[in-house]
């Protein structure tokens, strides 16, 4: 929220001074207006109208009296000016603790635009309207109001120039994305697309359903994995995706500390009951089949979630809860917990001590050096393709996705390794 | 998100010392030599300096304990001579070299962040109105944070000696007594430990004045009254420095100094990073320097010394020493330069900086880092691998509310080995060294504070104070005592990238025991008490040591049990059939309405279960937006009294209380009197916030008894258990 916009210039007679300010007398008090200025200008005047070498040098911001001033000082040297230079600075005033990153492009654009105008037609220096009057003042006034009310502004300056400004929020960089992540869209992306969108993006969108992993999507869409990841990262950046894990019955899930919030929150429980109940296949989003008792009470759901624990695979859990499994959408049941954060996936990692790994590599080398004509690997000889995954940093999902094997096969292959420890985390 | 701690990232680019005499302001010293660039060329001096600095505080204080002032005095005299000629050309004055003329190494020396140093200094020298206020200026993507200090209007730093000294003194004591409770009340941990180290090395001072030293640091506003106090304090000890205030021909006295930290924070973390740097480093250092300047003209002396050393750099055309030699000289000769470089090197790598300014005073500065998180980051959030994952110290523990983290049922887990901590303590000669040493000898990660207090005779409050001191200085962490009957799992937040290096470290620490991956693999199966891992009873001490190691390195976390009261259907039925006396004439149907009223009025949202609220939605709240989807659920009518949960049994409102008493009676009927009295005692813990593992400690019961009771209640259907960290 902008508090004020003002234009400070270097006056050849008076030194740095505020020429125009919106709202009036927000920076320097005037005898006519009763309001108290937001800040005291004289101490910061020399900072805002700095030495010429510090002008044209990028953003300059400072805080004073609980306000933050964003500025972008401009200095134009030309023999046509008295003292051979004209210095000006359009400044934005915000609250000290406000997020200001989206205003930086505004202050930059404002100052560079007027620099161009000044260089072309001496737009600023020829404007001899009294302080707080004239077209520059009017422009600041419109800009302040439009940015605060609509977060954008389109202000015609003269016949050929228009000031177009929009505030863009800053988002954090997208998190790292792996081939085994399962994206789930949080918005209906299909409604936003048009034919101008990226081709890879258009190809992958139909496959984002909370079931397919990134790798599967790239196979289904017949698109390069790298491009798919890149497209996904765009969606992630704008918060259009959640990342889940591959659903399988050998997966282990357990509660996080947020489970107590779920226990206490009936709204979430209701939402969950609606989400996880099995529904008729022909009515996609219909009311659950109440008559057959397909819905769950909150207490029932809480007890079900609490019974998931470390060391218990979903398959075994189903054995224990045979009656429930017939009326619950297990994948949705798990997904709901993961999305709400009260359930987490216990990932499995394999670790073989590096000494062992090195020994295997050495043996391999020896085999090579012998150059025996017929080299038949022993049956128990470990699978070399696994070696790089056995440092404990690659979870089973990742290994299975990369090698395109099932977890069962992976465990089978790991048996060939002598001393592999499987760690659940 | 907001509660989630961010990974430590000081974003520190440089530290500048901006000084103003009656002349133009100038940057007296900056570190690293070439901010924002590759400083690897200077690695040599960094290393030397780093080594020196780690031991410096120890050395200094030992010296001071023995007989230090002698060399210092010599140095001081030497310094005293230099200022007059230094001030003339000892800094980059833009007038002298026209500001823009730059050649080779001149550019290196006078160019900071692409601007001329002299211009930058003018920029970083605010108006007098900024005295002792936060100063923040941004240039491009860098932000300069400072805490400028100005001299008094007359150009002096200390208020003139008052003729009536006794009165001012009494005023001081009055001021102090007024202040002390407040001072102690506010964040004890921070305020005490924050100044402790400066105390520690000011050990030459008489003991009573140490607390006054603290006050000086904290209460700069009362400068006039306090200055007299500190003067009395200095009289005996600080003679040499007192003398120096007189020696220089003060032609251009120091008018302002401003230690400026230059940060390049990521835009989204701007406010957080700037605030933590200002609060923890800039302001504290500024206060300490001001104190030194007031009492021994420290900043002025050091500035003059630095200026004399850097003088050749400003000589146009003259020979210029390489930066690495210059910085080596600066750091070895000037305490302030050394302090700033130490500060930069430590803070930039998120360590604790031990800065010794004079032989008598040093201070330790740090940006505190989070020791634990309670929420496991999702793949979308910033990952903090290797941070302790627990709710043990973030959940409210009502009976020791004021020091929730250091409740009497916690204990201390030392983060480095006892020996190194002890040697550091003895080296630092801190006033609390003796009790600290004593406490460290008796502390153990398997005994709680109160148990240690009982066995060793140290009062509990002292233990908690000492523990908080150790925690603040990153020597230890508060944990629930480790116990072999408790369950531990591989922490979901463990840093798997460190597994290989940790495995070898583990093998060194426990050579005769299974390797780390094996232990973690054992802990990976279904949760069970830690004792199950031990091959025999003889292995217990070794395995408990392993547990402490795993806990310290954050490989494991305790899986704690939480419980909620479950109201079985038959209890609900009984209660609804026998309405409370006040509403005895109401029909069961109305009870249902009451039911929902309770739910909506009580903040607990208690009868809670979806079924009850659903049942009552059409009756009490027909306008509810969600009601439309729920009104047609016939199965609820079939079983109107489906089980529900009570979240907060201690603050249960009308209906849940009746459920609770009905359950209590039910327990009595089925399991007998003993079980019922236990239930009544325990029921307050069944709110999902109190770990069941703490019941034996709190109530003084045997663990086995609690386990048996809980199992019994669970079988009865009046209890739901869940486990998390």
């Amino acid at each position: 929220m902008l508090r004020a916009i003002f234009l400070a210039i270097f006056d050849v007679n008076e030194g740095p001074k505020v020429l125009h300010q919106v709202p009036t007398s927000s920076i320097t008090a005037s005898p006519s207006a009763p309001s108290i200025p937001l800040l005291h200008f004289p101490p910061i005047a020399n900072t805002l109208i700095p030495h010429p070498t510090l002008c044209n040098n990028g953003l300059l911001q400072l805080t004073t009296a609980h306000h933050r001033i964003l500025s972008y000082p401009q200095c134009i040297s030309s023999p046509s000016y008295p003292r051979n230079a004209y210095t000006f600075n359009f400044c934005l005033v915000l609250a000290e603790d406000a997020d200001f990153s989206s205003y930086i492009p505004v202050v930059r654009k404002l100052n560079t635009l007027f620099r161009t105008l000044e260089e072309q037609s001496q737009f600023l220096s020829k404007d001899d309207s009294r302080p707080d009057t004239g077209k520059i003042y009017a422009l600041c006034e419109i800009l302040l109001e439009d940015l605060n009310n609509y977060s954008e502004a389109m202000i015609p300056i003269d016949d050929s120039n228009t000031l177009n400004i929009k505030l863009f929020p800053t988002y954090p960089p997208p998190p790292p994305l792996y081939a085994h992540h399962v994206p789930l869209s949080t918005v209906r992306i299909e409604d936003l697309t048009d034919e101008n969108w990226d081709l890879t993006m258009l190809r992958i969108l139909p496959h984002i359903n909370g079931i397919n992993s990134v790798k599967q999507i790239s196979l289904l869409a017949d698109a390069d994995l790298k491009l798919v990841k890149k497209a996904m990262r765009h969606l992630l950046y704008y918060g259009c995706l959640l990342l889940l894990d591959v659903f399988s019955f050998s997966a282990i899930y357990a509660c996080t500390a947020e489970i107590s919030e779920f226990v206490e929150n009936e709204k979430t429980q209701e939402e969950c009951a609606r989400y996880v109940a099995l529904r008729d296949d022909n009515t996609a989003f219909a009311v659950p089949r109440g008559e057959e008792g397909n819905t769950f009470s909150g207490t029932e759901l809480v007890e079900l979630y609490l019974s998931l624990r470390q060391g218990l695979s979903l398959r075994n859990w189903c054995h224990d809860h045979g009656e429930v499994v017939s009326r619950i959408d297990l994948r949705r049941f798990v997904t709901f917990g993961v999305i709400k954060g009260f359930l987490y996936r216990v990932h499995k990692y394999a670790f073989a001590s590096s000494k062992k790994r090195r020994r295997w590599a050495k043996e391999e080398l020896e085999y090579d050096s012998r150059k025996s004509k017929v080299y038949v690997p022993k049956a128990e000889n470990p699978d070399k393709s696994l070696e790089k995954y056995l440092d404990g940093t690659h979870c089973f999902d990742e290994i299975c996705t990369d090698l395109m094997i099932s977890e069962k096969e992976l465990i089978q292959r790991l048996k060939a390794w002598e001393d592999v420890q499987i760690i659940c985390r | 998100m907001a509660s989630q701690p961010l990974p430590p990232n000081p974003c520190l680019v440089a530290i500048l010392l901006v000084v103003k005499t009656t002349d133009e302001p100038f940057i007296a010293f900056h570190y690293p030599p070439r901010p924002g660039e590759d400083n690897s060329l200077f690695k040599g001096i960094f290393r030397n300096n780093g080594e020196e600095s780690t031991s410096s505080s120890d050395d200094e204080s030992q010296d001071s304990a023995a007989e230090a002032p002698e060399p210092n005095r010599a140095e001081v005299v030497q310094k005293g001579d230099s200022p007059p000629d230094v001030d003339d050309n000892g800094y980059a004055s833009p007038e002298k070299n026209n500001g823009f003329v730059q050649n080779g190494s001149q550019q290196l020396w006078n160019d900071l962040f692409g601007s001329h140093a002299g211009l930058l200094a003018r920029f970083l020298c605010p108006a007098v109105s900024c005295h002792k206020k936060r100063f923040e200026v941004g240039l491009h993507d860098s932000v300069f944070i400072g805490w400028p200090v100005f001299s008094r209007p007359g150009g002096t730093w200390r208020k003139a000696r008052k003729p009536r000294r006794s009165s001012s003194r009494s005023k001081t004591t009055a001021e102090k007594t007024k202040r002390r409770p407040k001072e102690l009340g506010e964040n004890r941990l921070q305020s005490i430990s924050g100044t402790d180290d400066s105390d520690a090395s000011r050990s030459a001072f008489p003991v009573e004045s140490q607390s006054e030293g603290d006050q000086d640091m904290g209460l700069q506003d009362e400068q006039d009254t306090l200055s007299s106090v500190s003067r009395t304090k200095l009289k005996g000890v600080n003679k040499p420095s007192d003398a120096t205030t007189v020696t220089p021909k003060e032609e251009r006295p120091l008018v302002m100094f401003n230690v400026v930290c230059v940060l390049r924070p990521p835009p989204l973390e701007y406010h957080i990073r700037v605030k933590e740097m200002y609060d923890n480093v800039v302001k504290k250092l500024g206060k300490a320097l001001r104190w030194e300047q007031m009492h021994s003209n420290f900043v002025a002396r050091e500035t003059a010394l630095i200026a004399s050393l850097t003088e050749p750099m400003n000589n146009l055309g003259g020979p210029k020493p390489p930066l690495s030699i210059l910085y080596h000289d600066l750091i070895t000769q000037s305490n302030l330069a050394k302090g700033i470089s130490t500060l930069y090197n430590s803070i930039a790598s998120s360590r604790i900086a031990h800065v010794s300014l004079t032989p008598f005073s040093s201070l330790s500065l740090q940006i505190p880092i989070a020791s634990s998180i309670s929420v496991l980051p999702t793949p979308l959030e910033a990952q903090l691998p290797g941070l302790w994952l627990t709710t043990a110290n973030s959940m409210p523990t009502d009976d020791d509310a004021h020091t929730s983290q250091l409740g009497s049922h916690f204990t201390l887990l030392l983060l480095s080995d006892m020996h190194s901590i002890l040697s550091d303590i003895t080296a630092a000669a801190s006033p609390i060294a003796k009790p600290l040493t004593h406490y460290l000898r008796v502390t153990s990660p398997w005994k709680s504070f109160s148990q240690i207090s009982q066995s060793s005779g140290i009062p509990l409050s002292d233990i908690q104070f000492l523990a908080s001191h150790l925690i603040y200085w990153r020597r230890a962490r508060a944990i629930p005592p480790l116990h072999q009957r408790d369950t531990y799992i591989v922490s979901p937040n463990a840093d798997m990238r460190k597994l290989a290096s940790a495995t070898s470290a583990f093998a060194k620490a426990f050579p005769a025991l299974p390797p780390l991956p094996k232990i973690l693999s054992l802990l990976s199966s279904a949760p069970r008490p830690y004792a199950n891992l031990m091959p025999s009873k003889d292995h217990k001490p070794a395995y408990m040591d392993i547990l402490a190691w795993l806990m310290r390195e954050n490989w494991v976390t305790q899986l704690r049990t939480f419980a909620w009261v479950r109201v079985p259907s038959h209890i609900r039925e009984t209660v609804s059939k026998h309405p409370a006396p006040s509403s005895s004439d109401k029909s069961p149907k109305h009870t249902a309405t009451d039911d929902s009223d309770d739910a909506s009025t009580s903040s607990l949202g208690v009868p809670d279960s979806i079924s009850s609220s659903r049942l009552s939605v059409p009756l009490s709240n027909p306008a509810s937006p969600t009601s439309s989807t729920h009104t047609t659920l016939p199965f609820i009518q079939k079983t109107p009294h489906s089980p529900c949960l009570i979240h907060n049994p201690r603050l249960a409102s009308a209906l849940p209380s009746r459920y609770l008493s009905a359950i209590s009676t039910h327990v009595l009927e089925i399991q007998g009197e003993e079980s019922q009295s236990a239930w009544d005692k325990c029921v307050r813990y069944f709110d999902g916030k109190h770990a069941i593992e703490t019941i034996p400690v709190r109530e003084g019961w045997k663990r086995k008894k609690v386990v048996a009771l809980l199992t019994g209640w669970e079988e009865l259907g009046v209890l739901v258990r869940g486990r998390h960290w």
Side-chain angles (χ1 to χ4, degrees):
Chain A
M1 193 73 177
L2 279 175
R3 296 277 172 86
I5 298 177
F6 66 95
L7 168 63
I9 57 153
F10 185 85
D11 187 289
V12 279
N13 300 317
E14 299 170 51
K17 71 167 205 173
V18 175
L19 190 60
H20 298 297
Q21 47 188 311
V22 183
T24 321
S25 74
S26 56
I27 309 300
T28 49
S30 67
S32 55
S35 66
I36 304 157
L38 295 171
L39 40 94
H40 191 49
F41 182 71
I44 55 169
N46 283 326
T47 311
L48 289 177
I49 300 293
H51 192 276
T53 47
L54 284 171
C55 291
N56 316 333
N57 222 346
L59 179 77
L60 192 158
Q61 53 129 335
L62 62 100
T63 55
T64 176
H66 304 294
H67 286 89
R68 185 180 302 277
I69 302 173
L70 301 182
S71 74
Y72 212 82
Q74 299 294 320
C75 178
I76 304 168
S77 328
S78 158
S80 60
Y81 297 117
R83 295 206 196 181
N84 296 333
Y86 183 75
T87 311
F88 70 92
N89 195 356
F90 278 93
C91 306
L92 308 185
V93 182
L94 294 135
E96 186 179 359
D97 50 358
D99 178 35
F100 60 88
S101 53
S102 53
Y103 289 97
I104 293 174
V106 176
V107 72
R108 186 194 302 133
K109 181 154 192 178
L110 198 60
N111 280 294
T112 45
L113 177 80
F114 275 100
R115 184 191 174 92
T116 317
L117 289 174
E118 173 66 26
E119 281 168 345
Q120 283 169 356
S121 60
Q122 303 197 312
F123 189 85
L124 290 172
S125 54
K126 282 231 176 108
D127 182 64
D128 50 4
S129 49
R130 294 210 350 268
D132 298 343
T133 54
K135 52 187 172 184
I136 296 162
Y137 172 78
L139 183 135
C140 292
E141 201 172 18
I142 300 168
L143 186 66
L144 180 77
E145 281 195 2
D146 283 4
L147 284 184
N148 280 346
N149 292 331
Y150 312 109
S151 301
E152 58 182 8
M154 199 180 84
I155 309 164
I157 295 169
D158 54 25
D159 296 339
S160 52
N161 290 291
T162 311
L163 178 65
N164 287 300
I165 278 177
K166 187 168 177 163
L167 296 179
F168 290 99
T170 320
Y171 298 113
L177 181 75
Y178 295 101
H180 62 276
H181 276 147
V182 175
L184 175 70
S185 55
T186 54
V187 289
R188 292 174 67 90
I189 304 175
E190 291 79 9
D191 296 351
L192 304 169
T193 52
D194 59 52
E195 70 277 12
N196 296 323
W197 275 40
D198 178 68
L199 284 177
T200 315
M201 187 75 94
L202 291 176
R203 287 182 89 147
I204 62 171
L205 285 181
H207 305 289
I208 297 177
N209 56 5
I211 299 169
N212 297 327
S213 69
V214 174
K215 174 107 175 187
Q216 279 168 313
I217 291 173
S218 94
L219 293 175
L220 288 169
D222 191 21
D224 181 55
L225 182 63
K226 264 187 196 164
L227 292 177
V228 172
K229 279 190 180 176
K230 213 168 186 179
M232 295 270 187
R233 272 198 282 266
H234 276 95
L235 294 175
L236 277 172
Y237 178 77
Y238 290 106
C240 300
L241 289 186
L242 291 174
L243 294 180
L244 309 173
D245 50 76
V246 182
F247 177 83
S248 86
F249 280 93
S250 54
I252 299 169
Y253 293 89
C255 294
T256 73
E258 274 79 86
I259 187 71
S260 45
E261 275 160 43
F262 178 70
V263 172
E264 283 166 27
N265 193 336
E266 290 161 48
K267 284 242 167 68
T268 321
Q269 290 168 5
E270 282 176 42
E271 195 187 336
C272 180
R274 258 173 295 160
Y275 185 73
V276 303
L278 273 183
R279 56 198 77 213
D280 284 328
D281 291 339
N282 48 0
T283 55
F285 276 87
V287 182
R289 292 175 299 174
E291 293 87 344
E292 286 139 66
N294 263 0
T295 45
F296 293 85
S297 76
T299 312
E300 212 174 340
L301 285 170
V302 167
E303 288 176 276
L304 287 176
Y305 277 118
L306 287 176
S307 62
L308 289 165
R309 57 182 160 79
Q310 289 86 358
L312 179 73
S313 68
L314 272 184
R315 187 181 293 111
N316 293 340
W317 184 85
C318 290
H319 282 304
D320 300 347
H321 297 82
E323 181 267 335
V324 177
V325 174
S326 61
R327 1 179 234 133
I328 201 165
D329 185 331
L330 202 56
R331 191 183 56 76
R332 283 176 162 242
F333 172 72
V334 166
T335 311
F336 187 87
V338 173
I339 292 172
K340 295 284 173 186
F342 60 81
L343 215 60
Y344 80 99
R345 168 82 186 272
V346 181
H347 284 287
K348 291 185 198 128
Y349 299 83
F351 183 84
S353 64
S354 52
K355 223 186 278 169
K356 283 252 163 56
R357 274 188 282 154
R358 226 172 288 138
R359 210 182 67 207
W360 288 119
K362 211 175 151 195
E363 276 174 25
E364 170 90 317
L365 253 167
E366 278 164 10
Y367 277 124
D368 284 350
S369 60
R370 257 183 258 155
K371 282 181 183 167
S372 52
K373 276 175 194 165
V374 193
Y375 164 56
V376 186
K378 286 182 202 164
E380 70 268 24
N381 202 37
D383 188 347
K384 289 293 172 303
S385 62
L386 276 179
E387 193 180 323
K388 60 173 177 174
Y389 296 110
L390 299 185
D391 61 353
T393 59
H394 303 276
C395 67
F396 273 24
D397 274 4
E398 187 181 344
I399 306 173
C400 294
T401 313
D402 277 10
L403 301 177
M404 308 240 278
I405 53 173
S406 69
E407 192 175 321
K408 206 175 166 185
E409 197 188 332
L410 175 63
I411 292 170
Q412 201 66 41
R413 286 206 210 173
L414 282 176
K415 275 182 186 159
W417 290 76
E418 244 179 35
D419 186 31
V420 171
Q421 298 295 340
I422 294 172
I423 299 165
C424 298
R425 184 190 81 137
Chain B
M1 247 334 242
S3 61
Q4 194 82 330
L6 289 163
N9 178 10
C11 323
L12 186 62
V13 180
I15 302 179
L16 318 175
L17 172 65
V18 182
V19 169
K20 186 181 191 305
T21 55
T22 43
D23 228 41
E24 284 288 314
F26 62 100
I27 294 176
F29 181 69
H30 61 90
Y31 194 89
R34 283 148 75 176
E37 291 173 47
D38 179 27
N39 283 292
S40 52
L41 275 172
F42 306 98
K43 271 237 167 89
I45 54 160
F46 287 2
R47 210 175 297 119
N48 287 342
N49 174 48
E51 277 160 21
E52 274 169 33
S53 66
T54 45
S55 57
S56 64
S57 61
D58 314 341
D59 294 344
E60 305 266 352
S61 40
Q62 275 168 342
D63 283 356
S64 69
E67 198 12 69
E70 230 29 75
N72 188 45
R73 190 178 289 157
E75 203 178 62
V76 157
V77 174
Q78 180 200 340
K79 277 176 229 160
D81 294 336
S82 46
D85 50 301
V86 163
D87 280 343
D88 285 330
N89 44 16
Y91 55 89
S93 157
E95 285 80 12
K96 253 166 234 155
N97 51 16
N98 287 332
F100 318 112
V101 189
Q102 286 155 354
N103 55 10
S105 66
Q106 188 73 27
Q107 198 171 349
L108 287 182
W109 178 242
N110 271 341
D111 252 38
L112 289 173
F113 304 101
S115 307
H116 187 268
L119 288 174
L120 200 61
R122 258 196 275 178
F123 222 75
L124 299 175
C125 175
V128 186
S129 57
C130 286
H131 177 54
K132 294 201 290 175
K133 285 199 184 108
R134 177 180 164 139
F135 168 79
E136 183 186 329
V137 165
L139 211 56
H140 319 289
D141 52 349
S142 307
V143 55
F144 299 75
I145 314 159
W147 194 77
V149 184
F150 288 81
S151 63
R152 311 191 135 270
T156 58
W157 285 86
R158 284 156 67 174
K159 196 158 190 180
R161 202 172 282 248
K162 273 185 190 165
R164 282 168 59 217
R165 199 162 152 196
S166 56
S167 71
S168 83
R169 215 193 202 163
S170 63
K171 194 182 160 197
T172 317
T173 40
E175 203 73 66
K176 243 188 297 172
T177 40
K178 246 190 284 167
R179 279 291 185 142
R180 190 155 276 169
K182 186 189 155 202
E183 172 109 306
L184 289 178
E186 67 179 34
N187 198 355
R188 203 178 163 182
L189 189 131
Q190 283 251 356
S191 67
I192 291 173
S193 43
T195 47
D196 238 332
D197 267 43
S198 53
D199 269 353
S201 28
R202 258 186 240 148
S203 53
F205 294 155
V207 178
E208 316 93 79
S209 64
Q210 265 157 16
S211 63
E212 287 167 5
D214 280 355
Q215 298 239 331
D216 278 9
M217 308 283 288
L219 309 169
Q220 294 292 346
D221 309 322
E222 260 94 286
Q223 33 173 303
D224 33 357
T225 51
L226 280 171
S227 61
S228 67
V229 179
S230 357
R231 201 160 44 233
T232 56
K233 178 165 62 185
L234 281 161
K235 247 175 107 183
V237 197
N238 233 356
K239 267 274 162 58
S241 44
D242 243 28
T244 58
T245 54
V246 196
T247 30
K249 299 170 251 165
E250 283 170 4
E251 281 187 336
R252 282 185 184 157
L254 186 69
V255 172
M256 184 232 51
F257 68 87
N258 187 9
V259 179
V260 179
C261 283
V262 188
L263 267 63
R264 268 190 202 143
L268 287 167
E269 297 169 9
Y270 181 90
H271 291 289
I272 303 167
R273 300 303 180 190
V274 167
K275 187 178 175 348
E276 60 186 19
M277 186 62 76
Y278 174 74
D279 289 346
N280 296 303
V281 178
V282 175
K283 198 171 169 186
K284 283 183 180 170
L285 180 69
K287 282 184 174 176
L289 287 177
R290 180 169 177 266
W291 196 92
E292 293 297 338
Q293 171 62 22
M294 277 167 65
H295 297 104
S296 63
N297 203 21
F298 174 77
V299 180
R301 274 190 292 126
E302 292 289 319
T303 311
L305 174 67
I306 294 171
S308 71
L309 289 166
T310 54
E311 193 192 336
M313 300 304 285
N314 299 306
N315 276 345
L316 277 176
K320 292 185 183 69
L323 275 185
S324 56
I325 291 176
L326 175 74
Y327 268 81
H328 181 77
D329 290 351
L330 282 171
I331 285 163
T332 45
Q333 290 185 36
S334 160
N335 273 338
L336 186 55
K338 185 175 159 188
I340 288 176
S341 62
T342 310
L343 185 70
Y344 173 83
N345 287 333
S346 304
I347 295 293
S349 50
S350 303
R351 283 180 286 134
I352 299 176
H354 300 285
V355 179
S356 47
L357 298 173
T358 67
F360 312 105
S361 70
S362 75
L363 75 162
S364 300
L365 298 169
Q366 65 160 332
I367 295 176
I369 52 172
S371 69
S372 72
I373 49 169
S374 61
V375 182
L376 184 65
T378 68
L380 296 173
E381 289 165 354
Q383 302 293 306
L384 298 154
L387 210 55
W388 183 32
L389 181 68
T390 187
T391 57
N393 49 14
S394 54
M395 288 286 184
T397 41
D398 35 82
D399 43 1
D400 27 55
H402 54 290
T403 51
S404 62
Q405 204 203 5
L406 296 173
S408 54
H409 305 311
F410 273 74
T411 190
L412 221 52
L413 179 70
L414 299 180
L415 295 179
S416 44
D417 69 308
M418 167 98 73
H419 186 71
S420 70
I421 301 181
L422 281 176
S423 65
D424 282 357
I425 290 169
T426 37
S430 150
I432 56 166
K434 222 178 145 193
L436 208 52
T437 316
H438 179 49
Y439 167 65
L440 280 170
R441 290 197 193 284
V442 293
T443 186
S444 130
W446 11 98
K447 280 189 193 148
S448 70
F449 290 137
S450 56
Q451 284 168 320
I452 292 169
S453 166
Q454 275 164 20
S455 62
S456 68
I458 309 175
L460 185 62
S461 57
D462 284 11
I463 288 191
Q464 284 169 337
F465 167 71
L466 295 170
S468 65
H469 178 80
L470 288 168
I471 292 168
Y472 184 75
W473 293 110
R474 305 189 195 169
R475 297 294 197 169
R477 204 164 72 192
I479 56 161
L482 302 174
H483 196 280
Q484 50 163 342
R485 295 247 160 263
D486 283 336
T487 309
Y488 297 89
I489 54 162
V490 181
S491 167
N493 203 37
D495 192 353
M496 298 303 273
R497 285 169 304 181
K498 288 192 186 143
L499 187 56
S501 60
T503 304
S504 50
F506 185 88
K508 257 178 219 155
F510 307 99
L513 292 159
L516 176 65
K518 177 78 187 162
I519 300 277
L520 293 180
S521 167
L522 288 171
L523 286 164
S524 294
S525 56
R528 54 202 169 135
Y530 184 70
N532 288 15
L533 250 68
M534 303 178 189
S536 74
K537 272 205 167 167
D538 301 336
H539 285 83
K540 189 183 161 188
Y543 270 75
M544 291 312 281
D545 283 343
I546 290 183
L547 183 58
W549 190 94
L550 291 172
M551 202 69 183
R552 186 163 67 213
E553 305 291 320
N554 290 319
W555 285 104
V556 296
T557 189
Q558 188 189 350
L559 198 60
R560 306 188 308 149
T561 314
F562 299 86
W564 293 269
V565 176
R566 179 181 185 269
V567 188
S569 345
H570 61 92
I571 299 279
R572 293 194 68 179
E573 208 176 326
T574 325
V575 169
S576 66
K577 271 180 192 157
H578 306 285
S582 55
S583 59
S584 53
D585 48 347
K586 281 182 184 171
S587 65
K589 198 180 175 187
H590 280 94
T591 323
T593 326
D594 284 351
D595 190 331
S596 77
D597 281 350
D598 279 331
S600 53
T601 50
S602 72
S603 60
L604 321 161
V606 167
D608 71 79
S609 72
I610 276 179
S611 48
S612 68
S613 56
R614 270 185 192 161
L615 177 63
S616 53
V617 159
L619 295 172
S620 62
N621 194 5
S624 159
T626 54
S627 63
S628 58
T629 53
H630 294 295
T631 43
T632 57
L633 293 177
F635 90 104
I636 276 155
Q637 261 104 43
K638 274 191 268 171
T639 53
H641 301 296
S642 67
C644 66
L645 300 176
I646 295 173
H647 310 140
N648 199 338
R650 285 199 309 145
L651 301 168
S653 58
L655 188 72
S657 313
R658 288 173 61 207
Y659 286 149
L660 286 177
S661 58
I663 292 173
S664 176
T665 327
H666 182 62
V667 171
L668 174 70
E669 282 164 5
I670 311 277
Q671 294 180 334
E673 211 165 291
E674 199 187 334
S675 178
Q676 188 211 16
S677 70
W679 170 266
D680 290 343
K681 269 189 190 163
C682 287
V683 80
R684 65 198 177 101
Y685 300 123
F686 301 150
D687 59 353
K689 291 189 173 61
H690 287 82
I692 300 303
E693 281 76 11
T694 61
I695 294 181
V697 196
R698 286 170 193 269
E699 299 292 333
W701 295 343
K702 283 245 180 330
R703 275 165 184 271
K704 271 186 186 165
K705 178 187 169 185
V706 176
V707 171
L709 283 169
L710 286 179
T711 319
W713 293 331
E714 206 169 28
E715 277 164 9
L716 215 57
V718 294
L719 194 71
V720 186
R721 274 196 280 185
R723 302 181 110 179
H724 59 77
W725 39 83

